[in-house]
Amino acid sequence: RAVASARSAFDDGRWSDAPPSFRKATLHEFARLIETEASAFDLLDAEEMGKPVSLTFASAIVAAGLVRFCAEAVDKLSGEVFSSDQASLVAQRRIPYGVVGAIAPWNFPTTNAVLKTVPALAVGNCVVLKPSELSSRSAIRLAQLAVEAGIPPGVFNVVPGVGETVGRALGLHPHVDMLTFTGSTVVGKLMLQYAGQSNMKPVALECGGKSPQIVFA
């Protein structure tokens, strides 16, 4: 139902065909609302995954700044006209994919939800976000604020649940046009397989970890 909601919203152009000025202003309002509730978002994240509210890295204020960055990029994206002969005009126009399935990890829930969704929204896509089942509340609140900010219903959808159910369903769904996933390498490989078994949707992966664990005496 979430994918159908996003598909309908994209196809009727309520967001994808809206003037860039509308998307820009709406995302700025979204950022303002996140800033207004920043302390509440930080508390949600602390309660669910343990990040101290005093830690400014990947805080809700940082997430709001990311939304503002994407909002400012909306009217600064352009196509290209390539050199050709006198009888031809060769141009490239950037258009949204359509419905983006976004699967976020458990750490830094507010910031990761923004990273997974707002760049896609800024260029006109509709999104179905699956937050981690371990830290879902901030994503749900973000979706509520998105509607309050003026993002049309159906454009920003959130489906909580475990990966083998919700993540797999998004990966295999023929009406999801792109996947973005952050998580383990094992599950990242599954996402590539799901794309191949369905509609060969492009998949953007951030897998595994390279952070050393250094233990001193």
Side-chain angles (χ1 to χ4, degrees), residues 97-143:
Y97 275 102
V99 177
V100 176
I103 302 171
W106 61 271
N107 60 336
F108 313 121
T110 301
T111 298
N112 276 322
V114 165
L115 279 169
K116 284 290 175 203
T117 58
V118 176
L121 293 172
V123 294
N125 295 289
C126 295
V127 175
V128 180
L129 170 65
K130 189 207 92 65
S132 168
E133 67 274 15
L134 304 175
S135 51
S136 301
R137 289 189 295 169
S138 55
I140 295 170
R141 183 57 182 152
L142 282 171

Side-chain angles (χ1 to χ4, degrees), residues 16 27 44 62 64 67 75-76 78 81 97 109 119 152 173 208-209 215 217:
S16 57
L27 289 176
L44 285 176
V62 171
V67 178
D75 56 6
K76 298 171 182 66
S78 61
V81 177
Y97 275 102
H173 204 295
V215 181

Side-chain angles (χ1 to χ4, degrees), residues 47-124:
E47 288 175 344
E48 289 196 300
M49 50 69 66
K51 185 174 86 69
V53 295
S54 59
L55 184 64
T56 57
F57 179 81
S59 66
I61 289 293
V62 171
L66 290 169
V67 178
R68 291 200 182 280
F69 178 90
C70 292
E72 284 298 323
V74 168
D75 56 6
K76 298 171 182 66
L77 299 172
S78 61
E80 295 180 78
V81 177
F82 298 94
S83 299
S84 185
D85 57 65
Q86 292 294 323
S88 303
L89 174 66
V90 183
Q92 180 189 69
R93 176 174 173 243
R94 292 181 173 90
I95 60 172
Y97 275 102
V99 177
V100 176
I103 302 171
W106 61 271
N107 60 336
F108 313 121
T110 301
T111 298
N112 276 322
V114 165
L115 279 169
K116 284 290 175 203
T117 58
V118 176
L121 293 172
V123 294

Side-chain angles (χ1 to χ4, degrees), residues 3-21:
V3 173
S5 172
R7 180 86 266 156
S8 176
F10 182 78
D11 288 346
D12 69 22
R14 69 186 75 167
W15 181 250
S16 57
D17 292 340
S21 58

